Amino acid sequence: MIELHDVKKVFNQGRSNEIWAVRGVTLDLEPNLVTVLKGPSGSGKTTLLAMIGALSRPTSGRISLDGKLFSNLPERFMTDVRRETYGFVFQRFNLIRGLSVLENVMLPAYPLAPEYSALKRRATGLLREFGLEGKAESKVEWLSGGEAQRTAICRALINEPRILIADEPTANLDSSLSRELVGLIGDLVDLGKTVLVSSHDPIVFESSRVSRVVEMRDGRVAGGS
Ligand code: ADP
Ligand code: MG
């Protein structure tokens, strides 16, 4: 479904601090699975996920989705691909303090300008599905770790993405919350989603819910199944 061909990304090109974060990745990612990008800090996982998620553009190489090249499209079209295809769960969840759970979940849908009441219904439905119906009006800073993580997942799902991208989602979680997160991710795959996770956490990459581990090292795919 997602095909990467010789994808490279350089930062600060031509300067003394030039860094090739991704150095030629060719990879096919299948739908309806959990795929983990595993690798030490600095191996290029975040940079690669950002390009797959149409958040940034490769310096060279191609990325396509269902056979359609998107990595070279003008920014406006990249944005469309991103909003229509992907949901993102960030490290530390990046929930916006001062806003309620419901407001956080609805936020990524505003640029698509759906009808407000329909959007609120969808968000409320998601909160119910994830056991957060009683928390809709709570400010996110008052949530427990588990509630915050489920809020982040609801927010990632608000635009009904086919593909969920989670960048080191367990990096700041204790092991029971990490296991819960992996379970939630597995449930999403059962519902037909495709999940890409970057992690160097064994709770993630050794989980039975993970179908494939792609190992990254120094901006390249080092191994994998
Ligand atoms: P990982 O997610 O595996 O820790 P990253 O993709 O974040 O790896 O980083 C890969 C390399 O690229 C690192 O050396 C990092 O410092 C560098 N890097 C990442 N983003 C930027 C940026 N915006 N500007 C300059 N260097 C960057
Ligand atoms: Mg990273």
Side-chain angles (χ1 to χ4, degrees), residues 89-111:
V89 175
F90 299 99
Q91 197 175 332
R92 296 174 191 274
F93 305 137
N94 285 0
L95 296 174
I96 300 183
R97 300 166 71 87
L99 296 185
S100 70
V101 168
L102 186 66
E103 289 163 335
N104 265 275
V105 169
M106 286 171 29
L107 211 52
Y110 288 136

Side-chain angles (χ1 to χ4, degrees), residues 45-46 91 167-168 198:
K45 306 181 296 297
T46 295
Q91 197 175 332
D167 191 8
E168 308 232 22
S198 84

Side-chain angles (χ1 to χ4, degrees), residues 65-84:
L65 181 68
D66 298 331
K68 277 185 236 142
L69 194 63
F70 71 82
S71 55
N72 63 342
L73 294 176
E75 183 53 38
R76 190 158 63 84
F77 296 100
M78 290 266 288
T79 304
D80 289 344
V81 169
R82 176 163 74 242
R83 292 207 184 112
E84 285 162 15

Side-chain angles (χ1 to χ4, degrees), residues 95 101 132 135 138-148 151:
L95 296 174
V101 168
L132 291 166
K135 295 287 171 187
S138 307
K139 297 269 186 278
V140 293
E141 48 270 47
W142 306 117
L143 299 177
S144 72
E147 289 161 353
T151 300

Side-chain angles (χ1 to χ4, degrees), residues 8-114:
K8 298 182 184 174
K9 180 79 175 185
V10 62
F11 292 109
N12 307 319
Q13 189 162 27
R15 283 182 256 156
S16 59
N17 56 350
E18 173 175 302
I19 164 113
W20 287 86
V22 172
R23 298 167 184 248
V25 169
T26 298
L27 196 60
D28 280 359
L29 299 167
E30 298 97 278
N32 226 246
L33 303 174
V34 181
T35 301
V36 174
L37 295 179
K38 171 191 169 194
S41 179
S43 57
K45 306 181 296 297
T46 295
T47 305
L48 194 62
L49 283 181
M51 292 189 286
I52 292 172
L55 289 160
S56 82
R57 217 184 285 278
T59 305
S60 66
R62 301 189 296 275
I63 307 177
S64 53
L65 181 68
D66 298 331
K68 277 185 236 142
L69 194 63
F70 71 82
S71 55
N72 63 342
L73 294 176
E75 183 53 38
R76 190 158 63 84
F77 296 100
M78 290 266 288
T79 304
D80 289 344
V81 169
R82 176 163 74 242
R83 292 207 184 112
E84 285 162 15
T85 314
Y86 296 102
F88 297 91
V89 175
F90 299 99
Q91 197 175 332
R92 296 174 191 274
F93 305 137
N94 285 0
L95 296 174
I96 300 183
R97 300 166 71 87
L99 296 185
S100 70
V101 168
L102 186 66
E103 289 163 335
N104 265 275
V105 169
M106 286 171 29
L107 211 52
Y110 288 136
L112 299 171

Side-chain angles (χ1 to χ4, degrees), residues 125-137:
L126 275 170
L127 293 180
R128 196 174 318 114
E129 234 178 277
F130 285 85
L132 291 166
E133 58 274 43
K135 295 287 171 187
E137 303 303 329

